[in-house]
Amino acid sequence: GGAPAPCPPLALARAFAEAQLELGRIARSRNPRQGENAYLAELERAAAARLAQIAELDEGDRAGAGALGAARVPAPPRVPQRPLGPGRLRRLAFRETFRLEVGSPAGEGLLRFGAAVVVAGDALVAAVDGRAGAVRWRAEGCAFAAAAGGAVVLASGGTLRAASPRSGRTLWTRPLPGMTPVAATALARGPIVVVERDAATGVDPGSGRTLWRFEPPGASRLHAAPFGGVLVVGTDAGLLYGLDAAGRLVWRLRAPGPVLRRPRPAAGRCAVLAGADAGTALLAVDPASGARCWEAPLAASTGAVLAWGRRIAIAGTVAGDPIVTALDGPAGEPAWTVAPPLAGAIGAAVAGPLLVLRDAAGALAALGRDGAVRWSRPAPGPPAPRAAPPAVVRGTVLAAAGDALQAVDARTGELVGSIPAPAPVRLVADGALAVVALDADGAATGWRLATHLSVV
């Protein structure tokens, strides 16, 4: 019946967590058999993690030294965009080179190593020459596969192993450090980092030996990406961490909300998409020091972040409808926001001065630097919600559309070729327009460019 008393939120949360720990201590002191009570152990474990999380929040942001030699923003991957020939491209013809049944895609599913593509599923892992279609090696299926540190990292049956992409020879094998990984990456001249849902483990690239393990308190989902010698880790608890190659904390930063996607290099910064009160927000961070560069609120509820020259494009949805926002990279100021003539969730790819968008039904649209639609194509078939985003190579857009992969001239939107491939969920193409697609049922198919016709 007393008057309400003000209480800071962190202090209240700390009081509840301390009460949980005290309850466990009292229960075990009165009955030693309670030490075997799994519910009590989980209560205490959760309380200890919550107290560690509260201590981080109470301390606030921790700035790093800003050693530029340790961290760098990687350049975007070089995708060949030189036209196939002079004049206007009119027709492409493709020839099938291989077909494999590998089972449900494992991890990234398609891993490119030069001219070779490793196709990974739960029934088979195989390395294929992307242009000739010859199978270089085969191995048993796996639950997870990724390319990291120049090796193929595979997880299955409680075992983690690294294989040579050239021969398939096992480089090392070891027990999983925790749960089945959701991602794997590598730091510059440093360890391979195996990312689980709630932890990241640095392992020696030569032996697989555990070097360090990072378990951020209060997190149940991690997103991690390397920036030179610094690993940027975002969590659904709303915190960003910078770790060095030894697993030491370089900096810590509070994000606007739960981190939704893997941090991306864009416009010379580390770009992080996080939840916010009114939708989402894009946070730009210096990966060397953890300094906030800028923060831009977005209307989209989720989205893909793409580096687009000096700009950053975010392709997402609002109430299920597509929306695209372009931000000025150095300053984070909004350039424009448009609703493209598409429906539902969209995939996106950069084609030089154009941003190519694809919706679940296979409709395409290309936006210019000013946000205006340069060309569009209608949906040719039924929706395929899990279809891979479009790929842009040599001025050609490859996008799933109905029961085929359409090849479209990126400049004009004109259809120049078609490949029979129903709704691939993974898609890669190289500079010779050798294409490999993997569908949800585990059928992997490759094609090479047979002929092309241009009008001069």
Side-chain angles (χ1 to χ4, degrees):
C7 182
L10 283 181
L12 183 61
R14 181 181 289 109
F16 282 134
E18 289 174 347
Q20 286 180 236
L21 287 178
E22 183 66 11
L23 175 63
R25 185 191 67 79
I26 293 174
R28 282 184 283 101
S29 66
R30 294 183 178 179
N31 183 357
R33 291 184 179 179
Q34 290 294 335
E36 302 175 2
N37 187 329
Y39 295 102
L40 191 65
E42 175 60 23
L43 183 74
E44 292 179 299
R45 186 205 64 77
R50 184 56 53 85
L51 284 172
Q53 181 184 9
I54 292 168
E56 286 189 340
L57 294 172
D58 199 28
E59 182 182 350
D61 295 350
R62 177 188 294 185
L68 296 179
R72 61 178 177 83
V73 178
R78 295 179 62 87
V79 179
Q81 297 297 348
R82 180 173 54 85
L84 287 167
R88 184 173 179 179
L89 184 64
R90 295 304 302 270
R91 181 59 57 187
L92 299 178
F94 293 85
R95 180 175 301 165
E96 185 176 313
T97 55
F98 74 88
R99 184 180 293 268
L100 291 172
E101 295 290 339
V102 300
S104 298
E108 298 175 20
L110 297 179
L111 317 173
R112 178 168 291 285
F113 294 89
V117 176
V118 175
V119 186
D122 61 6
L124 175 70
V125 178
V128 185
D129 187 305
R131 300 177 185 179
V135 177
R136 296 185 177 183
W137 54 265
R138 297 171 183 258
E140 294 180 353
C142 61
F144 168 81
V152 185
V153 179
L154 305 166
S156 62
T159 300
L160 184 72
R161 72 182 183 95
S164 165
R166 292 177 59 86
S167 63
R169 179 177 61 89
T170 297
L171 304 176
W172 50 259
T173 183
R174 53 156 293 166
L176 282 173
M179 297 185 293
T180 300
V182 296
T185 187
L187 295 176
R189 298 181 298 279
I192 292 175
V193 180
V194 180
V195 183
E196 304 162 34
R197 289 192 62 85
D198 59 355
T201 304
V203 302
D204 181 76
S207 65
R209 177 176 57 90
T210 295
L211 301 176
W212 49 263
R213 186 166 173 84
F214 177 62
E215 298 178 335
S220 59
R221 188 73 172 93
L222 304 188
H223 301 276
F227 287 78
V230 171
L231 182 75
V232 178
V233 180
T235 76
D236 60 352
L239 289 174
L240 280 173
Y241 303 86
L243 307 178
D244 66 11
R248 295 175 297 224
L249 182 66
V250 178
W251 52 264
R252 183 181 62 237
L253 183 66
R254 191 168 182 175
V259 176
L260 303 176
R261 288 183 176 267
R262 183 181 182 186
R264 296 292 303 269
R269 307 293 187 191
C270 167
V272 181
L273 187 68
D277 292 339
T280 56
L282 192 69
L283 175 65
V285 177
D286 175 11
S289 64
R292 296 174 188 265
C293 300
W294 49 262
E295 182 179 321
L298 304 170
S301 58
T302 184
V305 179
L306 297 95
W308 190 16
R310 290 176 57 83
R311 286 183 172 174
I312 302 175
I314 304 94
T317 58
V318 173
D321 296 323
I323 188 170
V324 179
T325 298
L327 302 176
D328 177 65
E333 297 177 353
W336 44 260
T337 297
V338 299
L342 302 171
I346 52 177
V350 172
L354 299 179
L355 185 68
V356 180
L357 310 172
R358 176 201 174 277
D359 66 15
L364 293 171
L367 305 182
R369 294 285 189 189
D370 57 356
V373 176
R374 294 292 186 265
W375 55 259
S376 63
R377 293 189 61 83
R386 295 180 56 192
V392 182
V393 183
R394 302 290 296 272
T396 304
V397 179
L398 297 165
D403 292 332
L405 269 176
Q406 288 187 343
V408 175
D409 188 328
R411 294 173 299 175
T412 64
E414 181 180 0
L415 180 67
V416 294
S418 180
I419 303 173
V425 295
R426 306 285 192 275
L427 178 67
V428 296
D430 67 9
L433 274 184
V435 183
V436 181
L438 178 63
D439 66 24
D441 295 326
T445 312
W447 301 268
R448 66 177 177 85
L449 181 63
T451 59
H452 74 273
L453 173 66
S454 297
V455 177
V456 179

